[in-house]
Amino acid sequence: MEYEIPAGGRADLYEQLARIGKVVVHPKRIELLDLLCQAERSVEALAAAAGLKLSTASAHLQVMRQARLVETRREGTRVYYRAADEEVCRFVTALGDLGRARLAEVDQILRAIGAGRDGAERVTRAELLERARSGEVVVLDVRPVEEYAAGHIPGAVSLPLEHLEARLGDLDPGLEVVAYCRGPLCLLAPEAVATLRARGMQARCLEDGLPEWRQAGLPVATGTDTLGGAPAGGHETRLGRRR
Amino acid sequence: MEYEIPAGGRADLYEQLARIGKVVVHPKRIELLDLLCQAERSVEALAAAAGLKLSTASAHLQVMRQARLVETRREGTRVYYRAADEEVCRFVTALGDLGRARLAEVDQILRAIGAGRDGAERVTRAELLERARSGEVVVLDVRPVEEYAAGHIPGAVSLPLEHLEARLGDLDPGLEVVAYCRGPLCLLAPEAVATLRARGMQARCLEDGLPEWRQAGLPVATGTDTLGGAPAGGHETRLGRRR
DNA sequence: CTCATACTCCACAGATCTATGGATAACAGA
DNA sequence: TCTGTTATCCATAGATCTGTGGAGTATGAG
């Protein structure tokens, strides 16, 4: 059921753009797209992450595919979806930015849930680059490991929020921590920072998340060669002292 | 009928963003928003421009207002709508960019209608700035006068496409013309350039349109102090020799 | 070949959206 | 106050969208 090539004039142009609009008219589709901007995932994983039945998730994904915003890759019996293009992530970012700029409710929700910028200034990308080079800070990627593997700030350490408590002792108390997550609408990094500060550690959030980092043209590393969140090889690894 | 403040958690966040999505799910609303990114207009004018009945246009505008993407100003018996924010225009631009990047149909339509980049490279903003400073080119704003009045490139001359033929003689044949319009999805400038070239004149399109110019942080002039498109004060004015 | 897994497709009922004509409201001018 | 203009609101019928369970399909393992 491919889209036929439109015959008419200008009107069709906006009709085509509305195909994209159709994707972001449903909250769950925005959520799915947001997830896909972090890393590719199977339908099952997406359904679980967004709290959807499999058939429903699949249907949503078809809508996104018809708008060409996502593409698929088959691996055995499993189908992996991914954002089709960097431009797609830029669009999702723009949507989030617009939401924060225009909808007071968005800020209210963020604040209510706890993303309150509790007095803490965020670290700018420029500042992080400078301070990371001189080894003054540990950069913590608090997203799930799959997302870290799909792309992360070079030199960042993967430590998913769920494992933070367990590995607190491995963090060098002498170094400041800079945590980042999916972006300004994501609460992982703010929560991590709150936890760390409760223990008296120096910690701040990075402005925005990985997608924005990538969109800024900064380098992104892939793979999970570093110490993962799930302590695989015992606990003798010490975070924040790499080289 | 204001929106109630959401109580729940993360889910509401995407629900809020979907309010914005709701605006761009309908082709006519995208068209209206696109128009409003150029200049404010009355409901009547918008309805006419988009080919809608008054009541239908009003309904669409209400949707856009509930999403806080547009604001209104009353003047006598007439209500003027405008884009609420520069961020709104950025979002519309991002939508268009995504459409051109992902939907082959969009490019096809543009090409079919005649926006074919007929071999002609477009002028970059940087190049225009440089060449305009040395007075080598005439910058032509071929959008309707209202849009020119609402904002234009400083030094640009307003000459709506519909009046181009009539005022061809006023253009200095020795200067190259750079025409611009609403943006990459707009056909006014390409048509103007085609017309000029058919007369053997040197003419090129500017890359993108005024919204992108503004978003690039470049200066924008308002008002219509210059020679308008409708020859008001006779024809003795000669275009392209301003100082 | 058979079975299990991971998806996609389908039919359908309930909800939501759209366009439209006419009623209502706000305002300017006389 | 009365009238004409401009815009919003309302009821409604027809179209489209959503979620769901179950049937159908592709792939891999045994």
Side-chain angles (χ1 to χ4, degrees):
Chain A
M1 206 212 276
E2 280 302 302
Y3 270 81
E4 67 282 5
I5 291 143
R10 308 267 312 276
D12 292 316
L13 221 159
Y14 293 108
E15 222 154 287
Q16 292 299 315
L17 295 184
R19 282 170 64 187
I20 296 174
K22 190 170 167 180
V23 170
V24 291
V25 77
H26 196 295
K28 288 298 181 187
R29 285 200 285 260
I30 304 177
E31 188 170 359
L32 290 172
L33 206 51
D34 204 18
L35 285 168
L36 290 175
C37 281
Q38 306 291 330
E40 67 168 14
R41 287 165 207 261
S42 68
V43 180
E44 201 177 27
L46 286 166
L52 295 170
K53 305 230 162 189
L54 194 66
S55 59
T56 309
S58 180
H60 283 313
L61 290 167
Q62 294 312 312
V63 173
M64 291 159 73
R65 184 151 69 166
Q66 290 213 326
R68 311 258 178 82
L69 301 194
V70 300
E71 289 173 347
T72 58
R73 172 176 74 83
R74 178 149 214 148
E75 193 177 306
T77 161
R78 193 165 312 219
V79 176
Y80 286 91
Y81 279 77
R82 64 172 177 280
D85 198 305
E86 182 59 27
E87 194 73 35
V88 173
C89 301
R90 245 192 291 279
F91 178 69
V92 175
T93 301
L95 177 61
D97 286 349
L98 181 54
R100 282 186 305 149
R102 296 301 312 163
L103 300 177
E105 292 85 348
V106 171
D107 246 29
Q108 279 179 22
I109 294 175
L110 288 177
R111 215 165 300 247
I113 301 185
R117 294 98 173 97
D118 330 88
E121 281 304 307
R122 296 209 162 201
V123 181
T124 66
R125 283 185 284 273
E127 185 184 351
L128 179 63
L129 280 171
E130 188 158 335
R131 301 198 50 195
R133 194 170 303 133
S134 53
E136 301 171 51
V137 296
V138 199
V139 184
L140 230 52
D141 186 321
V142 297
R143 300 172 302 157
V145 263
E146 317 92 69
E147 300 182 12
Y148 175 85
H152 57 262
I153 295 178
V157 175
S158 172
L159 207 171
L161 184 57
E162 46 178 341
H163 300 133
L164 179 59
E165 298 265 8
R167 304 205 61 190
L168 265 177
D170 298 336
L171 286 169
D172 186 330
L175 293 180
E176 182 183 7
V177 170
V178 174
Y180 72 90
C181 51
R182 291 166 178 162
L185 266 41
C186 176
L187 305 174
L188 294 174
E191 278 184 40
V193 165
T195 301
L196 292 171
R197 294 191 158 198
R199 311 295 171 117
M201 297 193 63
Q202 283 257 322
R204 284 187 293 166
C205 288
L206 177 65
E207 58 169 354
D208 306 327
L210 187 77
E212 289 85 358
W213 176 278
R214 179 183 275 127
Q215 284 161 35
L218 295 167
V220 172
T222 59
T224 172
D225 49 349
T226 175
L227 4 135
H235 268 212
E236 72 272 60
T237 50
R238 186 154 185 84
L239 304 180
R241 274 281 164 76
R242 314 198 316 117
R243 195 250 291 264
Chain B
M1 207 213 275
E2 281 301 301
Y3 269 82
E4 68 282 5
I5 292 144
R10 308 268 311 277
D12 292 317
L13 221 159
Y14 293 108
E15 221 155 288
Q16 291 300 314
L17 295 184
R19 282 169 65 186
I20 296 173
K22 190 169 166 181
V23 170
V24 290
V25 78
H26 196 294
K28 289 299 181 185
R29 284 200 287 261
I30 304 177
E31 187 170 358
L32 290 172
L33 207 50
D34 205 18
L35 285 168
L36 290 176
C37 281
Q38 306 291 330
E40 67 168 14
R41 286 164 207 261
S42 68
V43 179
E44 199 177 27
L46 287 165
L52 295 170
K53 303 229 163 187
L54 193 67
S55 59
T56 309
S58 179
H60 283 311
L61 290 166
Q62 295 310 314
V63 173
M64 293 160 73
R65 183 153 70 168
Q66 291 215 324
R68 310 258 179 84
L69 300 194
V70 299
E71 290 173 347
T72 59
R73 172 176 75 83
R74 177 148 215 149
E75 195 177 304
T77 161
R78 194 166 310 221
V79 174
Y80 286 91
Y81 279 77
R82 64 172 179 280
D85 199 305
E86 182 59 28
E87 194 73 36
V88 173
C89 301
R90 246 192 291 279
F91 178 69
V92 175
T93 301
L95 176 62
D97 286 348
L98 182 54
R100 282 187 303 150
R102 297 299 314 163
L103 300 177
E105 291 85 346
V106 171
D107 246 28
Q108 279 179 21
I109 294 176
L110 288 176
R111 215 165 301 248
I113 301 185
R117 293 95 174 97
D118 331 86
E121 282 302 308
R122 295 209 162 201
V123 180
T124 66
R125 284 185 282 274
E127 185 183 349
L128 179 62
L129 279 171
E130 188 157 336
R131 301 197 53 196
R133 194 168 305 133
S134 53
E136 300 172 51
V137 296
V138 198
V139 184
L140 229 52
D141 185 322
V142 296
R143 301 172 301 159
V145 263
E146 317 91 72
E147 300 182 12
Y148 175 86
H152 56 262
I153 296 179
V157 174
S158 172
L159 206 169
L161 183 58
E162 47 178 341
H163 299 133
L164 179 58
E165 298 265 7
R167 304 205 60 192
L168 266 176
D170 297 336
L171 286 169
D172 187 331
L175 293 180
E176 183 184 4
V177 170
V178 175
Y180 71 90
C181 51
R182 292 165 177 162
L185 266 41
C186 177
L187 305 174
L188 294 174
E191 278 185 40
V193 165
T195 301
L196 292 171
R197 294 191 159 199
R199 312 293 171 117
M201 297 193 64
Q202 284 257 321
R204 285 187 291 167
C205 288
L206 177 63
E207 58 169 353
D208 307 324
L210 187 78
E212 290 84 359
W213 176 277
R214 180 184 273 127
Q215 284 160 36
L218 295 169
V220 172
T222 58
T224 172
D225 48 349
T226 174
L227 5 133
H235 267 213
E236 73 271 60
T237 50
R238 187 153 185 86
L239 304 180
R241 274 280 164 77
R242 314 200 314 115
R243 195 246 293 268

